[in-house]
Amino acid sequence: MGSKERDIDISIITVTYKSWDTLRDLLNSIQQSICKDLNIEIIIVDNYAQDSEYLSVLKEFPNAIYIKNPKNSGFASGCNIGAKKAKGAYYLFLNPDTIATKEAVSKMYAYLKHHDNCGIVSCKQKKMDGTFEKIKRYFPRLSTIFGFFRVVNNNALERNTKETENFLYPEWVSGAVVFMSSSWFSKVNGWNEDYWMYYEDIELSKNIRDLGGEVVLLKDCFIIHKHGVSSRINIKTAAITKTEVLISKHVYLHNNFSRFYRFFLQSIVLFYNIFSKLIIAIVSLPFCFIPKARLQILLLFNIANYYISALQNGTWLSKRSVNYGKK
């Protein structure tokens, strides 16, 4: 992550996994949303380099830089791989299941250009049904670690969130839309590859805040997000991704808390996961012919295997993490 020539204004980086149709929509939207006076590059990191579909995509978008990742090393790793090839002064990380809008890209870019202390800027995300994803997000801790706790503490959390008419300063923003300067990316050493998927965006935001940088969300613009299209293709994939959410929470707690408090949080999350997944799986067992019921049984199996492995190997990391076995 050393110094590079900055002949490119924006490097747009996307990590794809079997999501060529949605990726085409994203690439088309980028072409329509970037001002002609901006010099951009598009970097595609393929985390499933086992088919030839990329050839037709590159034929349609010949200026895109394609990187064939030999294995699915996860979202954080894929973003870092793309960033190593990037020449832009600014990096825009976009999920392949997003649709860029001209207003959002231009406003986020302008904000970064005029606010050097902004580590990350993002925007609202509009779902396919026309509603918007939540924008107030809080770091995991005792008061927020479960949905019930967040509801109880919601008023206090909202009071402590700085907000104006057009800007929100959440504790963290979704990794689906992350716009940052290359210098801030270097300051925080990029995305943390302890995470295979999920929570890497929370830690990235926290690392920026820990260095005194701002995390800002623009409320007056949005991108479209076809949430889950690329990560939940079938039951097996859904079980993997939902399991990784649970795993990544443990990784985050391990990375960001110490001693007794960390042990306490890890313990209550572990017991909650085992108890809740066991109850749901038992209830789902008579209905295992239904896909959603089978998913719950798979989740119990996956999380039980994870906890056994964590105990045996002394690490909270997912076996899919590129750092597994290195710490």
Side-chain angles (χ1 to χ4, degrees), residues 120-137:
I120 291 177
V121 65
S122 189
C123 65
K124 294 168 70 176
Q125 297 178 38
K126 189 175 185 179
K127 295 186 282 189
M128 295 302 289
D129 62 5
T131 61
F132 288 90
E133 294 189 18
K134 67 178 181 180
I135 57 175
K136 294 182 178 179
R137 301 173 187 266

Side-chain angles (χ1 to χ4, degrees), residues 1-4 6 76-77 79-81 83-86 91 93 182-193:
M1 298 177 191
S3 61
K4 309 172 187 175
R6 300 300 176 188
S77 173
C79 287
N80 286 340
I81 288 170
K84 285 177 183 175
K85 292 288 186 182
Y91 300 159
F93 297 95
S182 59
S183 59
W184 265 107
F185 186 84
S186 295
K187 282 181 189 177
V188 295
N189 295 314
W191 299 79
N192 189 338
E193 296 181 6

Side-chain angles (χ1 to χ4, degrees), residues 175-231:
V177 186
V178 168
F179 212 154
M180 63 192 305
S181 68
S182 59
S183 59
W184 265 107
F185 186 84
S186 295
K187 282 181 189 177
V188 295
N189 295 314
W191 299 79
N192 189 338
E193 296 181 6
D194 281 355
Y195 303 93
W196 183 74
M197 188 181 290
Y198 304 111
Y199 280 76
E200 64 282 291
D201 44 10
I202 306 179
E203 184 143 320
L204 182 67
S205 297
K206 188 173 188 302
N207 289 342
I208 283 170
R209 283 184 167 277
D210 287 347
L211 290 177
E214 288 186 333
V215 176
V216 182
L217 185 140
L218 306 188
K219 295 164 58 179
D220 60 349
C221 58
F222 65 87
I223 59 95
I224 297 168
H225 190 188
K226 309 171 190 175
H227 191 70
V229 171
S230 58
S231 63

Side-chain angles (χ1 to χ4, degrees), residues 11-248:
S11 297
I12 300 178
I13 301 165
T14 186
V15 180
T16 185
Y17 177 80
K18 296 184 181 180
S19 52
W20 298 111
D21 288 338
T22 55
L23 178 63
R24 283 185 175 91
D25 292 339
L26 169 62
L27 298 179
N28 278 317
S29 72
I30 290 171
Q31 289 184 338
Q32 296 167 17
S33 62
I34 299 297
C35 297
K36 294 193 185 333
D37 58 343
L38 287 178
N39 194 10
I40 72 155
E41 64 179 359
I42 300 172
I43 299 173
I44 303 165
V45 180
D46 181 8
N47 266 354
Y48 185 73
Q50 298 180 31
D51 59 31
S52 57
E53 184 67 20
Y54 74 92
L55 293 172
S56 62
V57 172
L58 289 183
K59 201 171 186 179
E60 294 175 49
F61 306 93
N63 294 325
I65 299 167
Y66 174 80
I67 301 173
K68 202 171 186 178
N69 195 3
K71 70 176 204 173
N72 185 2
S73 57
F75 179 74
S77 173
C79 287
N80 286 340
I81 288 170
K84 285 177 183 175
K85 292 288 186 182
K87 298 176 182 176
Y90 297 89
Y91 300 159
L92 173 54
F93 297 95
L94 287 173
N95 269 20
D97 57 359
T98 58
I99 300 291
T101 63
K102 187 172 184 177
E103 184 180 34
V105 174
S106 62
K107 285 189 174 183
M108 288 190 291
Y109 179 65
Y111 190 92
L112 281 179
K113 290 276 284 184
H114 293 93
H115 297 83
D116 291 339
N117 198 43
C118 179
I120 291 177
V121 65
S122 189
C123 65
K124 294 168 70 176
Q125 297 178 38
K126 189 175 185 179
K127 295 186 282 189
M128 295 302 289
D129 62 5
T131 61
F132 288 90
E133 294 189 18
K134 67 178 181 180
I135 57 175
K136 294 182 178 179
R137 301 173 187 266
Y138 309 104
F139 292 135
R141 50 187 178 270
L142 184 59
S143 60
T144 65
I145 202 162
F146 300 119
F148 173 74
F149 290 6
R150 286 193 296 274
V151 171
V152 170
N153 294 287
N154 186 62
N155 289 337
L157 291 167
E158 291 208 357
R159 279 198 304 271
N160 292 326
T161 301
K162 184 181 173 184
E163 184 175 8
T164 65
E165 183 179 355
N166 293 323
F167 306 111
L168 176 74
Y169 300 84
E171 292 186 341
W172 64 278
V173 294
S174 164
V177 186
V178 168
F179 212 154
M180 63 192 305
S181 68
S182 59
S183 59
W184 265 107
F185 186 84
S186 295
K187 282 181 189 177
V188 295
N189 295 314
W191 299 79
N192 189 338
E193 296 181 6
D194 281 355
Y195 303 93
W196 183 74
M197 188 181 290
Y198 304 111
Y199 280 76
E200 64 282 291
D201 44 10
I202 306 179
E203 184 143 320
L204 182 67
S205 297
K206 188 173 188 302
N207 289 342
I208 283 170
R209 283 184 167 277
D210 287 347
L211 290 177
E214 288 186 333
V215 176
V216 182
L217 185 140
L218 306 188
K219 295 164 58 179
D220 60 349
C221 58
F222 65 87
I223 59 95
I224 297 168
H225 190 188
K226 309 171 190 175
H227 191 70
V229 171
S230 58
S231 63
R232 293 175 185 173
I233 299 166
N234 51 47
I235 290 178
K236 184 179 178 182
T237 302
I240 291 172
T241 56
K242 284 178 177 291
T243 303
E244 290 297 329
V245 173
L246 304 177
I247 292 174
S248 290

Side-chain angles (χ1 to χ4, degrees), residues 247-294:
I247 292 174
S248 290
K249 181 180 284 189
H250 282 293
V251 176
Y252 180 88
L253 296 177
H254 176 79
N255 287 352
N256 293 282
F257 297 98
S258 58
R259 298 183 179 178
F260 175 77
Y261 191 44
R262 177 173 64 191
F263 175 78
F264 173 68
L265 291 176
Q266 295 282 32
S267 297
I268 62 173
V269 170
L270 184 151
F271 285 112
Y272 174 82
N273 285 342
I274 291 176
F275 180 76
S276 63
K277 298 308 173 191
L278 179 61
I279 295 299
I280 295 171
I282 290 172
V283 172
S284 301
L285 197 57
F287 308 99
C288 61
F289 57 91
I290 300 173
K292 285 187 177 180
R294 288 204 305 277

